[in-house]
């Protein structure tokens, strides 16, 4: 089982989340009553929907993490799952996202567009570079 599959299985049982197709058309999504929260795009890459205030509040922590990529102007962050610790980080960030969306209320954004998440906007280089010897 991949790390993304493990994370999805752990999160699917959370009472505030339900599974479905990602609005971007690529992969599976988990959504709350208010908004899509996660897009599982591959065996290792997950986009997490935060609010602007939440991103501002934890921005320095997000930038310090080697597992997280922040795209300027996006309400989504990409989490690259390389190990169980990254899955644990994702669980914590999902809690932050759910709380942030709950305090914000229903998502008032327009209908989904190709840039609803960071798909094709983030390039992740594997941590263990096979060419680095």
């Amino acid at each position: 089982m991949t790390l993304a599959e493990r994370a999805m299985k752990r999160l699917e049982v959370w009472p505030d989340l339900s599974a479905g197709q990602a609005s971007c058309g690529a992969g599976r999504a988990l959504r709350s009553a208010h908004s899509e929260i996660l897009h599982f795009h591959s065996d290792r890459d997950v986009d997490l929907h935060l609010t602007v205030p939440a991103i501002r509040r934890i921005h320095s922590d997000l930038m310090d993490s080697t597992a997280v990529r922040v795209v300027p102007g996006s309400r989504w962050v990409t989490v690259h799952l390389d190990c169980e610790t990254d899955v644990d980080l994702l669980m914590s960030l999902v809690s932050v996202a759910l709380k942030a969306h709950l305090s914000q209320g229903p998502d008032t954004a327009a209908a989904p567009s190709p840039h609803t998440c960071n798909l094709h906007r983030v390039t992740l280089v594997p941590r263990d570079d096979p060419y680095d010897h």
Side-chain angles (χ1 to χ4, degrees), residues 56-77:
R56 284 186 185 136
R57 188 174 66 252
I58 63 173
H59 187 264
S60 63
D61 294 319
L62 294 172
M63 298 303 288
D64 287 345
S65 173
T66 58
V68 177
R69 300 299 179 269
V70 177
V71 175
S74 177
R75 294 179 295 162
W76 294 76
V77 297

Side-chain angles (χ1 to χ4, degrees), residues 37-48:
I37 301 296
L38 292 147
H39 288 182
F40 288 84
H41 292 301
S42 73
D43 291 343
R44 292 182 180 260
D45 298 320
V46 180
D47 280 344
L48 173 70

Side-chain angles (χ1 to χ4, degrees), residues 104-123:
Q104 180 176 296
D107 194 351
T108 57
S113 72
H115 297 293
T116 58
C117 63
N118 290 339
L119 183 64
H120 305 301
R121 297 173 71 193
V122 172
T123 301

